Amino acid sequence: MADRRVVVLASGSAGNAVWVEVEGAALLVDAGLPAEALLRRMAETGCAAGSLVAILLTHEHDDHARGAAALARTLGVPVLANEATLRACGWSCTVPCERIPNLQSVRVGSWTVEAVPVPHDATDPVAFVLEAAGTRVAVATDLGDVGEDLVERARGCDVVLLEANYDLRLLGVSPYPWFVKNRILGRTGHLSNDTAAAAAVRLNAGRPQRFVLLHVSEVNNLAPLARDVVAEALAREGRPAQVQAVRPNQGAEVRLEGRT
Ligand SMILES: [Zn+2]
Ligand SMILES: [Zn+2]
C-alpha cells in the first residue's frame, strides 16, 4: 500500500494544495501557491511531476487558484473545474482547461472524480470525492456548512481532508474586524472545529478512517486544539478514526500504509 499517499503541499489562508496519488497517478486538488513554490514543494516531498494527471480546482479564491494556470502550462496537464469557477478565474485560452459538471462521476485517467457543491462565498465552490483502485479520498475545505450531499458521497472515505478553520472562542477574541468575523461565521464562510467535529462523526462509516484537518487559521485556531475537538467527538461516539491537524502554512504527509 506504499503506493498510496496524500501530501498536503500547503494549507491555510496563504495557500492550499493537496497531492493525492494512487498507483503512480496523482491529482492535485487546488494550486494556491505560485507555481515555482508548488514545484519546489513537490520536489522536496518526492511528488513526481510526471505522475500528475490533472489539477482540480475547488473554487477561484486566490489561496486555491493562484498557481493553477502557470503549473498547468508548465506541466502540460489540464485544470479541471466546473464552468462557473473556470469563468471566474478569467484565464486566457492558453491555459488547458476542462469543464466538469457538479454531482456527476467523471473519469480522469485511472481516477473517478466527483465535484460536490458546498456553501462558500465563491462563484460555484465544490468539495471533491476521489476514487482510484479502491482508495477513496474526500477534500472539503472552504465551506460554511456540511450538507447531506457531501455526507452521502464522502462517508466512509479512507481519508477525509476536512476544514477546521476556527475555534469559536478564539475567533470571538481575535483582532479581526467584525465584518470579517461575520463572513467567517456565516453559512457561506468557513467550518469551526465544532462543526468539523460533528461532520466527522457523520462522515465516519464505522470503519477506520483518517481525518486530516486543513485550512486551520493562524489567528483564530490552534492545530492541536482542532485535532483534540474532532478526535474527542469521534471517540465519544465510539468511531474508529485517526485525526491529525496540519498547522497553518505548513505541509504534511498522510501515510496510508497503516490504516488503523
Ligand atoms: Zn481558502
Ligand atoms: Zn475560499
Side-chain angles (χ1 to χ4, degrees):
M1 291 192 219
D3 56 352
R4 305 184 310 154
R5 63 197 301 237
V6 174
V7 182
V8 179
L9 297 174
S11 169
S13 56
N16 297 274
V18 178
W19 179 276
V20 186
E21 182 175 345
V22 169
E23 293 180 352
L27 297 172
L28 187 66
V29 179
D30 290 333
L33 295 180
E36 315 77 66
L38 288 167
L39 287 165
R40 200 167 47 242
R41 292 195 184 188
M42 284 163 56
E44 285 165 3
T45 49
C47 296
S51 309
L52 190 61
V53 179
I55 299 165
L56 307 180
L57 213 54
T58 58
H59 64 300
E60 72 275 16
H61 287 165
D62 229 31
D63 60 318
H64 297 259
R66 187 178 291 124
L71 192 67
R73 272 194 292 251
T74 303
L75 299 182
V77 297
V79 179
L80 271 56
N82 60 39
E83 182 159 11
T85 297
L86 288 175
R87 209 175 323 115
C89 286
W91 293 326
S92 71
C93 52
T94 58
V95 180
C97 291
E98 286 175 27
R99 289 170 180 73
I100 51 169
N102 291 344
L103 296 175
Q104 278 181 39
S105 291
V106 177
R107 292 293 293 182
V108 183
S110 52
W111 286 90
T112 304
V113 169
E114 185 164 3
V116 185
V118 292
H120 183 59
D121 53 1
T123 309
D124 192 1
V126 297
F128 283 109
V129 180
L130 317 170
E131 197 271 328
T135 297
R136 294 176 68 227
V137 178
V139 185
T141 65
D142 295 61
L143 64 173
D145 197 13
V146 178
E148 259 319 296
D149 270 350
L150 181 57
V151 172
E152 236 171 64
R153 287 164 176 83
R155 186 187 287 128
C157 276
D158 300 280
V159 185
V160 179
L161 297 119
L162 182 65
E163 170 164 58
N165 182 257
Y166 65 91
D167 170 78
L168 193 56
R169 284 148 301 180
L170 290 178
L171 181 67
V173 297
S174 94
Y176 280 22
W178 267 108
F179 76 91
V180 178
K181 291 187 188 185
N182 282 335
R183 184 204 152 233
I184 293 169
L185 282 162
R187 204 185 110 73
T188 57
H190 291 276
L191 278 194
S192 70
N193 294 344
D194 294 332
T195 319
V201 169
R202 291 159 72 208
L203 288 164
N204 186 279
R207 65 183 199 84
Q209 273 174 297
R210 305 288 297 264
F211 286 91
V212 182
L213 305 175
L214 300 180
H215 223 299
V216 173
S217 168
E218 222 173 347
V219 178
N220 305 316
N221 208 353
L222 298 162
L225 175 63
R227 184 201 57 219
D228 288 352
V229 169
V230 174
E232 279 164 20
L234 286 159
R236 238 185 348 258
E237 300 289 330
R239 308 295 179 117
Q242 284 184 22
V243 182
Q244 72 186 85
V246 179
R247 289 175 193 280
N249 310 320
Q250 288 194 12
E253 172 149 12
V254 184
R255 296 168 204 283
L256 298 184
E257 299 78 283
R259 292 176 65 182
T260 53

